[in-house]
Amino acid sequence: DAPNLASPFRVIDGHFEKLQLDVPWAKLGSKPVIFRAKGLQVWVEPHDFLMDEVAPKKDQTRSAKRENKGNTSKSIVDQDRLDSIVRADTARKSALAVRKAWEEKAEYTLMGEQIDQDSSSEQKSSFLSRLVRRIIENLQLEIEDVHLAVKGCDIAAGVVLKSLRLSTTDNDGNVKFVDRQATHDAFLHKELLISGFGIYLQEDMTSEGTTNLEDNQYVLSPLSFEAKFRESDVAKCIEYPKYLIHSKLQSLSIKLSRTQLELSHRLASVVTPSTKIRPLFPEYRPLVPVSENAQEWWNYAFRCVGRLNRRRSWMEFYLAFQKRKKYLQLYKRHAYSEETSWLNGLNEFELSDLRRIEGDRSVGISGLMLWRSIADSEYEKEKQRREESSIVKRSILSNIFGSSTSKEKECDDIPITLSADELSELEGFTLDADQRLTEDSKYCDITFVLGSFQVHLLKSEHEPISSLDMGMVSTSFKANADGSYNFALSMLSLEASDRVTKNSFYPMVCRGLQDVNNTKKHAVHFETNKSSKGDQEVKFTMIAFETVASPLLIQAVKNFFDFSSLTATIPPILEVNADDLSDTLTDAIMDAWNGKNKQKQKWTLDMDVKAPILIVPENCTKSDALTLICNFGRFKVAYGTALPSPMVLDWFKSRQSSEKAIKFDVDHLKMEMNDLSLIISSIGEVAENRHYLSKIDVSKSVIRPLSFTVNIGIEQTEATPDDTPRTCIFGVLPSIELRLDPSQIKGLLRVAAQWTSYMHDFCGDTTPDDSGLGEEVTGAQGQAGIGELMESDAVSMDHLYMSMSLL
């Protein structure tokens, strides 16, 4: 086929070690059809097909114009398209021949049972459909040793697959041929096993095309995947779903080094479309200069604008329909005129029209092959009907007086028109009579379990930077025939390590603070439900995560993803406008909200989040270094789960119109935040009580544990649903208590000064601050200066204390 202009790669080599299709023609009803493939290796390289399409053809057009100035005619069909059509047609005919042989063998064989050729067409069709279904249900795939490699730019990358196996099993998971009609089993079981799937990326150190896969540097380590599928034939599934899918991935490990990241950047810069001018929709682009045929170029511009705006004129659809209708008749006459008497051959003008349609690049080669298949099927249908109508039942009189052959020939010359049902059958638009599920049935139950997920960042092979370790992740989706569903996602644990800072008091910069007595509790859990009436419920819970700001790790990660030193740049493929995205999201929320109010649906939200605990240390290696512990407390959000607060109800009732009583409902949202605090302590004290942060002396906190509550009420009236609803907000902040003494102020300044220096290093800003603070706080003298300043004013600030209460 012609090259795919959207693909940034081209195939340079490839081969199969073994390709086998086992078809037991004599026992299709008792043995499975097995497709086996082994040793598929394909080598590709980056290539820009669009530039090949533009530059050479421009040069050819200009040279042809210089050589033949008087002759402006140009062949529409180029040699590449003709070759592609020939190859595609050969493959199409081969596939049709295999299918025809399949049907001839399968039509009369099933479990040793024979069907008469005189049987009705409905019986044969039903028989054949059952046979094909049984073959598909027991189809087995066995693929081994697949290797897709990318060469070029001194890069060796690729995808490997050790094995893939798809088979039919029984209830116990044993691979076997299943005859569900004989066993009266209402379930179909399938199993998919994938092993050794991985992605590698490294420098190309070999001049030949063969590499040892065991020595490859894998970005995605070879993984194993398992999935089981079960389908029910019952139209009423109350106790079990119609489709049941259970899948499991043992582990997913990503290991990325700085060298691999640079190689991926280099490869992406090559395969990413350049910013050079290139044609829009090359299939429409004329092959003649603008000066020779300006009308074609205006038509090309018009079609491009229509495609970009997603607007197509009805005339374009009508012309395409006419083109298809004309091509079907021309191709049928051209292909079968020598074999039949009722089809006439093409004259010069008709043959020219046929070649013109085949050379029209706006018609894909796959589309041409589809049209040819339809024309072939029309011819077979016409031939079959003519054979049936040509059988003359001779009676005694017809044997004596003979028969009229002129009428028969006249009948042969009359073209046969196919019915709408036959045409729809030819084009494959007939619908299967599947049994629909009852409304109270379960539709599907899909579960996926990821055993573990790991990400490792390395500066070099023996210099790790950080690693992310995620515990078991499980997700499930259950849907019913009435439109209701349940979706759940949970994560067991999450940890991130610091491999850069040596002898750090915080080797884990992120970890979940789970209860030591209940380590199986999920760290994150999200669940949403939707009823058949449209009512939705959302639940979200999360435990507290301790997050440490490690300066050396932050700098190492920043340098790891820094591409400023690389010469190759990647042009932006997708530019996202934040304002447009925000407007789109707002409109979507408002539409959903208005639909909820109009259909009287109920939404509920229950969120319980223990906010992260952020630790900002002066440094991570000294026990006497100070650290700030920002505990953001615990957030609770409840919407639609409880009655509105009395204050909200009283507010709406007191402002109800006395002239006309209006029935209204109130949507109530309650938000709570508890235990927000800011503590200054030493790293040694925090490290000793790291598993029990509640044991840290809260009396030393700058901000005592803070709590507040917000109640929001939104009116929903039945009389004026389009008006802006009345909204009331009641907030209660019991108290704000701040405590500042000289030691705490000194600690705040020390940590702030140190992190100011860090931020200058992160941003690459070496210019000192105008105030001179940067020079003071970068060294030991700066720290001593701050200490002396605080000690000199210790008498006046010894008992500085501020307490403020707001009710």
Side-chain angles (χ1 to χ4, degrees):
D1 200 351
N4 184 1
L5 300 182
S7 173
F9 300 99
R10 69 175 177 182
V11 179
I12 57 177
D13 194 7
H15 64 82
F16 258 115
E17 180 180 338
K18 181 181 179 182
L19 183 62
Q20 181 179 352
L21 180 63
D22 294 337
V23 182
W25 295 109
K27 297 182 179 180
L28 285 174
S30 58
K31 288 188 177 181
V33 176
I34 304 176
F35 175 80
R36 294 186 176 94
K38 184 178 181 180
L40 171 61
Q41 296 189 8
V42 180
W43 286 270
V44 300
E45 66 178 3
H47 187 76
D48 192 349
F49 290 101
L50 287 176
M51 299 309 297
D52 291 348
E53 287 284 320
V54 178
K57 290 182 179 179
K58 283 186 177 180
D59 298 338
Q60 293 175 4
T61 303
R62 291 173 182 172
S63 61
K65 185 177 179 181
R66 287 194 300 267
E67 295 176 0
N68 303 317
K69 294 184 179 180
N71 185 12
T72 59
S73 61
K74 193 176 186 297
S75 176
I76 301 178
V77 182
D78 57 3
Q79 191 62 35
D80 291 339
R81 184 173 174 87
L82 285 175
D83 295 341
S84 299
I85 291 175
V86 171
R87 291 195 299 268
D89 192 61
T90 303
R92 180 186 68 88
K93 291 180 178 179
S94 301
L96 290 176
V98 172
R99 180 180 178 182
K100 186 176 181 180
W102 180 286
E103 292 178 352
E104 290 177 355
K105 288 283 185 179
E107 188 172 2
Y108 307 108
T109 306
L110 180 62
M111 298 294 292
E113 186 179 319
Q114 299 293 328
I115 291 185
D116 271 340
Q117 297 185 8
D118 297 334
S119 300
S120 64
S121 59
E122 293 183 358
Q123 291 178 346
K124 291 183 179 180
S125 176
S126 176
F127 174 82
L128 184 59
S129 63
R130 291 197 305 269
L131 177 61
V132 171
R133 179 178 179 182
R134 184 176 302 180
I135 293 171
I136 294 176
E137 288 180 351
N138 290 276
L139 180 65
Q140 295 185 13
L141 297 179
E142 297 179 4
I143 302 176
E144 298 179 359
D145 301 334
V146 178
H147 182 199
L148 175 62
V150 180
K151 299 292 183 179
C153 305
D154 298 328
I155 296 174
V159 178
V160 296
L161 175 64
K162 184 178 181 181
S163 66
L164 182 148
R165 184 172 181 177
L166 176 64
S167 57
T168 303
T169 65
D170 56 11
N171 296 332
D172 299 328
N174 302 318
V175 178
K176 62 181 297 186
F177 184 90
V178 178
D179 184 2
R180 295 199 291 153
Q181 292 183 353
T183 59
H184 302 287
D185 191 357
F187 296 103
L188 170 65
H189 299 267
K190 285 284 187 178
E191 184 179 39
L192 174 64
L193 299 176
I194 298 177
S195 65
F197 177 80
I199 301 175
Y200 67 90
L201 178 62
Q202 60 194 16
E203 295 182 351
D204 190 4
M205 305 298 294
T206 60
S207 58
E208 301 179 357
T210 58
T211 57
N212 188 4
L213 298 181
E214 297 180 356
D215 298 334
N216 288 335
Q217 299 176 7
Y218 286 94
V219 176
L220 176 62
S221 301
L223 55 85
S224 298
F225 176 75
E226 176 184 356
K228 294 183 179 181
F229 170 79
R230 190 191 72 185
E231 179 186 2
S232 172
D233 293 337
V234 182
K236 188 173 183 178
C237 303
I238 305 298
E239 299 180 356
Y240 47 82
K242 182 174 180 61
Y243 301 103
L244 179 65
I245 302 176
H246 288 171
S247 56
K248 185 177 182 180
L249 185 61
Q250 295 290 346
S251 63
L252 182 63
S253 178
I254 297 176
K255 191 175 182 180
L256 184 64
S257 65
R258 172 65 184 183
T259 303
Q260 291 175 324
L261 189 63
E262 293 177 355
L263 293 176
S264 63
H265 186 274
R266 187 193 308 173
L267 182 61
S269 63
V270 174
V271 302
T272 302
S274 63
T275 56
K276 298 180 180 178
I277 298 177
R278 56 181 63 227
L280 287 172
F281 308 107
E283 63 271 18
Y284 301 148
R285 191 176 187 271
L287 299 178
V288 294
V290 180
S291 59
E292 294 184 4
N293 198 331
Q295 182 179 0
E296 289 190 14
W297 284 91
W298 278 112
N299 293 334
Y300 166 65
F302 177 76
R303 298 187 71 175
C304 288
V305 172
R307 286 288 298 273
L308 292 174
N309 294 334
R310 299 181 180 272
R311 294 180 179 178
R312 311 287 289 274
S313 63
W314 285 106
M315 182 58 66
E316 189 173 350
F317 286 104
Y318 177 74
L319 293 176
F321 170 75
Q322 292 289 341
K323 189 183 302 182
R324 170 184 173 276
K325 182 179 179 180
K326 188 174 185 179
Y327 183 80
L328 291 179
Q329 297 299 325
L330 292 177
Y331 176 77
K332 185 167 55 176
R333 289 171 55 192
H334 179 68
Y336 299 104
S337 60
E338 297 180 358
E339 302 178 8
T340 60
S341 61
W342 70 84
L343 293 176
N344 299 324
L346 303 180
N347 54 35
E348 279 186 32
F349 297 102
E350 292 173 335
L351 186 60
S352 176
D353 288 342
L354 179 67
R355 299 306 182 197
R356 180 180 56 81
I357 296 176
E358 290 181 346
D360 189 351
R361 292 183 300 150
S362 63
V363 181
I365 296 179
S366 59
L368 281 178
M369 296 303 105
L370 177 61
W371 291 358
R372 289 189 177 189
S373 298
I374 294 175
D376 292 341
S377 301
E378 286 185 356
Y379 168 74
E380 294 295 335
K381 284 284 186 181
E382 292 180 8
K383 182 179 179 181
Q384 180 181 357
R385 293 181 61 177
R386 287 180 180 275
E387 290 176 353
E388 294 176 356
S389 62
S390 64
I391 299 177
V392 181
K393 297 182 179 180
R394 299 178 178 274
S395 61
I396 298 177
L397 294 178
S398 64
N399 290 331
I400 297 175
F401 297 101
S403 60
S404 175
T405 58
S406 62
K407 292 184 178 181
E408 292 178 7
K409 190 173 187 311
E410 183 180 354
C411 179
D412 289 343
D413 294 336
I414 301 175
I416 295 177
T417 303
L418 300 180
S419 63
D421 294 337
E422 291 173 332
L423 287 176
S424 63
E425 180 183 357
L426 294 175
E427 297 185 15
F429 293 126
T430 55
L431 300 177
D432 296 330
D434 292 338
Q435 294 180 344
R436 294 190 176 182
L437 289 175
T438 58
E439 292 187 358
D440 56 347
S441 297
K442 297 179 181 179
Y443 183 70
C444 67
D445 184 355
I446 304 173
T447 60
F448 172 74
V449 177
L450 174 61
S452 63
F453 176 68
Q454 298 177 347
V455 178
H456 303 278
L457 300 181
L458 300 91
K459 185 177 181 180
S460 64
E461 186 177 357
H462 301 290
E463 292 184 70
I465 296 177
S466 178
S467 62
L468 176 70
D469 191 356
M470 185 184 298
M472 184 179 66
V473 177
S474 59
T475 179
S476 64
F477 177 76
K478 300 178 181 179
N480 300 321
D482 57 3
S484 60
Y485 66 83
N486 170 268
F487 173 78
L489 174 67
S490 60
M491 181 180 66
L492 185 61
S493 61
L494 178 65
E495 293 181 349
S497 63
D498 180 5
R499 310 290 295 276
V500 177
T501 308
K502 304 299 182 183
N503 302 321
S504 173
F505 281 88
Y506 300 102
M508 306 300 296
V509 293
C510 179
R511 65 186 182 93
L513 300 180
Q514 292 173 308
D515 188 357
V516 293
N517 299 323
N518 189 10
T519 57
K520 293 184 178 181
K521 182 180 179 180
H522 292 100
V524 178
H525 180 75
F526 173 80
E527 184 176 356
T528 176
N529 298 280
K530 182 178 180 181
S531 66
S532 58
K533 297 180 180 179
D535 299 339
Q536 298 188 41
E537 179 184 4
V538 177
K539 295 181 180 180
F540 180 70
T541 58
M542 185 178 74
I543 65 172
F545 283 89
E546 180 191 84
T547 305
V548 181
S550 175
L552 294 182
L553 178 61
I554 295 175
Q555 184 66 45
V557 174
K558 176 182 176 295
N559 295 336
F560 183 84
F561 291 101
D562 184 16
F563 296 104
S564 59
S565 60
L566 301 180
T567 57
T569 58
I570 303 178
I573 300 177
L574 180 63
E575 296 182 357
V576 180
N577 191 334
D579 295 335
D580 294 342
L581 182 61
S582 176
D583 294 341
T584 303
L585 182 60
T586 302
D587 293 341
I589 294 175
M590 291 304 300
D591 291 341
W593 182 266
N594 294 333
K596 161 193 169 295
N597 296 333
K598 185 177 181 180
Q599 300 177 11
K600 302 299 180 181
Q601 296 173 350
K602 183 180 179 182
W603 289 0
T604 58
L605 173 63
D606 186 4
M607 185 169 65
D608 186 0
V609 177
K610 294 181 180 179
I613 299 175
L614 178 62
I615 298 180
V616 184
E618 189 178 7
N619 63 69
C620 298
T621 57
K622 297 181 180 180
S623 61
D624 58 346
L626 297 179
T627 181
L628 299 181
I629 304 176
C630 305
N631 187 352
F632 293 97
R634 182 174 184 175
F635 289 93
K636 290 185 178 182
V637 179
Y639 171 76
T641 58
L643 295 176
S645 66
M647 292 184 296
V648 173
L649 289 178
D650 293 340
W651 188 89
F652 280 106
K653 290 180 180 180
S654 63
R655 287 161 178 79
Q656 187 175 1
S657 175
S658 59
E659 298 179 359
K660 183 179 179 180
I662 300 176
K663 181 181 179 181
F664 63 89
D665 294 326
V666 177
D667 290 330
H668 179 240
L669 174 66
K670 183 178 181 181
M671 296 187 296
E672 293 182 83
M673 188 200 69
N674 301 310
D675 301 330
L676 186 149
S677 62
L678 176 62
I679 302 174
I680 299 179
S681 181
S682 65
I683 289 182
E685 182 183 356
V686 175
E688 292 177 0
N689 301 279
R690 200 174 179 198
H691 294 284
Y692 308 97
L693 290 179
S694 59
K695 292 185 177 182
I696 297 177
D697 190 3
V698 183
S699 61
K700 298 181 180 180
S701 62
V702 178
I703 301 178
R704 295 293 182 92
L706 179 67
S707 301
F708 70 86
T709 304
V710 176
N711 288 277
I712 303 176
I714 303 176
E715 178 189 23
Q716 297 298 326
T717 63
E718 296 181 359
T720 57
D722 297 331
D723 294 343
T724 303
R726 294 181 298 170
T727 305
C728 72
I729 302 176
F730 286 95
V732 178
L733 183 60
S735 65
I736 298 177
E737 187 173 348
L738 305 178
R739 181 180 180 86
L740 295 174
D741 58 27
S743 62
Q744 291 175 330
I745 296 178
K746 178 180 177 181
L748 285 173
L749 292 176
R750 282 179 55 184
V751 176
Q754 189 63 50
W755 273 92
T756 302
S757 176
Y758 290 150
M759 294 305 298
H760 283 298
D761 294 338
F762 296 156
C763 300
D765 185 10
T766 57
T767 304
D769 201 357
D770 294 338
S771 63
L773 180 61
E775 295 180 357
E776 291 185 22
V777 300
T778 53
Q781 294 180 353
Q783 301 294 339
I786 294 175
E788 294 174 359
L789 175 65
M790 299 305 302
E791 290 176 1
S792 63
D793 295 339
V795 177
S796 60
M797 301 181 62
D798 190 20
H799 299 290
L800 178 61
Y801 178 80
M802 178 176 61
S803 176
M804 177 174 56
S805 298
L806 300 177
L807 298 178

